Amino acid sequence: MADEGSIARMVREELRGVRLDYVINNAGVSSTAKRIGEVTMAELQRVFAVNAFGPMAVTRAVLDNLRGGERKVVVQITSQLGSIGNNTGGSSYAYRASKAALNQMNRSLANELAAEGFTCLAVHPGWVRTDMGGAEAPLSAEESARDVLRLMVKATPGMNGAFVNHLGERIAW
Ligand SMILES: NC(=O)c1ccc[n+]([C@@H]2O[C@H](COP(=O)([O-])OP(=O)(O)OC[C@H]3O[C@@H](n4cnc5c(N)ncnc54)[C@H](OP(=O)(O)O)[C@@H]3O)[C@@H](O)[C@H]2O)c1
């Protein structure tokens, strides 16, 4: 996700001439640097590279594959922590800001590609029991994935550009 050459190789070697209906950008990283005193530029760049720049690079790389598909749905797995309106807790600078950047880029993508019939969604998957979410999270990975898939399959161009959770409920920007 953080290596444009690797993304280009994937498309060249695996996706030449392949029509895609859906693309889900799911990979992401968190950061142990939570407080301002810990947030270095190197850490910001590491987290932004995977969480914000990578999803845009992948989307750009597979655009022609999606144009050849029928559904033209792009799902960016973001986080509610990327909401600026709901940020009352502070901290987690790199993670929050990288997901806010992803949300903003997805909105621009949605506007640019609307005329071609694309539906570009920024989806918070819920709090999920994974390495990142931890053991206390209420949702299993299977439950979250099932909800996201359901949302994705039902997605219509009317939802293009939305920031929603796994149940399709809108989240404040
Ligand atoms: N879990 C939650 O509660 C929660 C809440 C909100 C949003 N999210 C978002 O949901 C997505 C999935 O998170 P998760 O909970 O499954 O996290 P996770 O348990 O930490 O797994 C992260 C996944 O991303 C992959 N990844 C990380 N860096 C990568 C890179 N540079 N290139 C390719 N793949 C890379 C990892 O692959 P390897 O295993 O090969 O490293 C792993 O499969 C993320 O975007 C996360 O921000 C999760």
Side-chain angles (χ1 to χ4, degrees):
M1 288 298 278
D3 176 348
E4 265 190 319
S6 167
I7 292 167
R9 211 160 41 248
M10 170 194 72
V11 175
R12 201 169 54 241
E13 293 176 7
E14 309 288 343
L15 295 176
R16 192 187 289 270
V18 175
R19 296 175 180 202
L20 295 177
D21 282 332
Y22 301 94
V23 168
I24 309 174
N25 284 308
N26 176 64
V29 289
S30 57
S31 174
T32 54
K34 304 287 184 209
R35 313 291 300 175
I36 185 63
E38 304 163 331
V39 181
T40 61
M41 280 183 71
E43 180 63 356
L44 286 165
Q45 279 162 358
R46 182 187 73 85
V47 175
F48 267 73
V50 179
N51 291 1
F53 307 156
M56 284 301 109
V58 168
T59 306
R60 184 169 62 110
V62 299
L63 217 44
D64 282 340
N65 303 82
L66 282 162
R67 284 185 170 121
E70 288 176 13
R71 297 283 287 128
K72 301 180 177 62
V73 174
V74 180
V75 173
Q76 319 287 3
I77 299 296
T78 181
S79 170
Q80 63 183 5
L81 291 177
S83 165
I84 295 171
N86 290 344
N87 183 355
T88 54
S91 187
S92 299
Y93 294 83
Y95 187 75
R96 282 183 185 278
S98 66
K99 293 295 192 180
L102 174 62
N103 291 351
Q104 177 70 287
M105 286 196 275
N106 186 66
R107 188 61 179 246
S108 285
L109 192 67
N111 289 335
E112 184 174 345
L113 299 177
E116 294 185 57
F118 274 73
T119 306
C120 303
L121 300 173
V123 180
H124 165 65
W127 183 18
V128 190
R129 284 191 301 281
T130 60
D131 286 348
M132 185 186 291
E136 301 303 312
L139 284 175
S140 69
E142 289 78 9
E143 288 166 327
S144 170
R146 184 201 57 209
D147 288 347
V148 173
L149 287 173
R150 193 174 287 155
L151 183 72
M152 194 177 90
V153 168
K154 283 194 319 195
T156 59
M159 293 167 68
N160 188 29
F163 175 23
V164 293
N165 68 15
H166 57 113
L167 299 174
E169 297 160 337
R170 301 262 172 177
I171 299 177
W173 293 104

